[in-house]
Amino acid sequence: MPRRSVLICLVLAVLIALPIVLNALGNYYIIHVAALVGIYCILCLALNITIGYTGLLDLGFMAFYAIGAYTAALLSVVGVSFWISLPAAVVAGGFFRYVIGAPVLRLRGDYLAIVTLAFGEIVRLILNNFDLLTNGPKGLPRVGETMTPVRLGLWRLDNDVHYFYLILFFVIAAVFVSYRLEHSRLGRALVAIREDELAAQLSGINVARTKAVAFVLSGMFGALAGAIYVHWIGFITPDMFTFWESVLLVSMIVVGGMGNIAGTLLGVLLLVGGPELLRSTLGTRFVDYRLLLFGAVMILVIIFRPQGLLPSRRRALELHRTDTGS
């Protein structure tokens, strides 16, 4: 068996056994953190499609996370099953991603970043002020309402261990889709657009359609993560989907390595799992130094590893050529 397959099997075995062992030891906090890391893994793999593969800087990605979460929450409180609200949230995320992407994808660079940032803030403000539907800053579900419990056959998911396995399943699905996309004809077209949009167009690639497909696909995955998150946590407010959360997602991809699946997962583990584990060991005082440490990590990575800790081979070679001036 190839070494990579053995490594993947070992990692999966550890992940499957981890919550069982921690649950037996009574360490529920680590299980909660592991599930949270899984949610961010889905989000960052989705964002990596637009930033890492296509080279489109998106600073408002949390908007689609919010759209998925609110769609699933609104459907759930009226009695819709999780397994129906989940695809509904994914479709909603893809729809709004297409609506915003159609005019926005004509822009490039900083202009695209500014427009996506503005869209993210518009969505958050709508969620904050549209009390009739979203209950405003008080969030969902409203007082007295309950969300439909998640069931898998006769099995009801009602604790962090159950949700950990559900989230792990979707993380594996997201990794599989990302891997297949990266090695597909569409993935190669995305990389070609990232490298030189004009040259890609001259080589016969439909740039507008290809970018739209990548944009919609990432939005659907973002909404999927939001739908799972709200069923797991059981409550959402607009304050959970701020601009800074979008910046944090971009930072995870930059630190881990843009365009690389393993790098993206590593970035999530460091910037989501790392601070939470430090807080559990060093206490709440660590919160005061969290942003300081976060900034220090970003500066060190940019200076010593500008391509990220685990860059894709192609991007590493590109940066090497640039650094040497050849």
Side-chain angles (χ1 to χ4, degrees):
M1 183 180 291
R3 184 182 300 175
R4 176 180 292 184
S5 300
V6 173
L7 181 61
I8 292 174
C9 291
L10 285 174
V11 171
L12 285 177
V14 170
L15 289 175
I16 292 171
L18 183 67
I20 299 174
V21 175
L22 292 174
N23 194 44
L25 296 174
N27 198 336
Y28 308 112
Y29 179 71
I30 302 298
I31 301 173
H32 183 85
V33 171
L36 183 64
V37 168
I39 291 289
Y40 274 91
C41 283
I42 300 173
L43 271 175
C44 284
L45 287 172
L47 186 58
N48 189 47
I49 295 174
T50 51
I51 291 184
Y53 295 160
T54 320
L56 303 173
L57 182 54
D58 185 348
L59 293 180
F61 192 69
M62 288 303 286
F64 303 96
Y65 184 51
I67 289 171
Y70 270 87
T71 301
L74 288 169
L75 290 174
S76 182
V77 294
V78 297
V80 177
S81 163
F82 168 75
W83 300 105
I84 297 177
S85 66
L86 189 70
V90 170
V91 171
F95 171 75
F96 283 103
R97 191 72 162 170
Y98 177 78
V99 169
I100 185 64
V104 161
L105 289 178
R106 298 176 183 176
L107 305 174
R108 300 180 184 178
D110 299 341
Y111 299 104
L112 177 63
I114 292 170
V115 172
T116 53
L117 185 158
F119 178 75
E121 285 300 295
I122 289 171
V123 169
R124 190 180 64 81
L125 290 173
I126 291 174
L127 295 175
N128 222 359
N129 293 283
F130 196 6
D131 289 21
L132 183 63
L133 185 65
T134 65
N135 200 30
K138 299 176 183 175
L140 291 175
R142 297 176 177 86
V143 175
E145 293 180 337
T146 56
M147 295 182 63
T148 305
V150 181
R151 294 184 180 277
L152 189 60
L154 297 177
W155 184 32
R156 175 174 172 172
L157 279 64
D158 55 6
N159 60 51
D160 285 346
V161 176
H162 296 164
Y163 276 100
F164 173 84
Y165 286 116
L166 179 71
I167 293 167
L168 178 61
F169 169 79
F170 283 105
V171 170
I172 293 172
V175 169
F176 177 75
V177 172
S178 294
Y179 179 81
R180 296 296 296 173
L181 175 65
E182 183 180 354
H183 295 85
S184 68
R185 184 174 180 179
L186 174 62
R188 289 191 288 273
L190 295 177
V191 173
I193 292 172
R194 184 192 70 197
E195 299 304 315
D196 192 322
E197 189 171 319
L198 181 59
Q201 189 172 12
L202 292 175
S203 65
I205 296 173
N206 188 327
V207 173
R209 186 173 63 186
T210 306
K211 287 164 69 174
V213 170
F215 214 60
V216 170
L217 188 61
S218 66
M220 294 171 73
F221 268 102
L224 171 74
I228 300 170
Y229 177 79
V230 70
H231 277 91
W232 170 42
I233 297 298
F235 182 72
I236 48 169
T237 66
D239 292 341
M240 297 177 178
F241 311 103
T242 62
F243 163 69
W244 294 110
E245 289 292 327
S246 295
V247 172
L248 182 62
L249 293 180
V250 176
S251 303
M252 293 174 198
I253 297 175
V254 171
V255 169
M258 286 193 291
N260 188 17
I261 297 172
T264 301
L265 299 180
L266 177 63
V268 174
L269 191 62
L270 290 177
L271 296 186
V272 177
E276 294 298 331
L277 292 178
L278 286 175
R279 179 159 49 185
S280 68
T281 55
L282 300 180
T284 54
R285 285 180 300 176
F286 171 72
V287 176
D288 299 333
Y289 305 99
R290 185 175 181 179
L291 287 178
L292 180 64
L293 289 175
F294 176 77
V297 169
M298 287 295 297
I299 291 172
L300 291 174
V301 169
I302 290 172
I303 292 175
F304 297 106
R305 297 283 293 182
Q307 70 276 34
L309 298 176
L310 285 178
S312 67
R313 293 179 180 178
R314 185 183 289 113
R315 289 189 70 89
L317 291 172
E318 292 165 5
L319 288 168
H320 178 71
R321 285 201 300 271
T322 302
D323 292 342
T324 56
S326 57

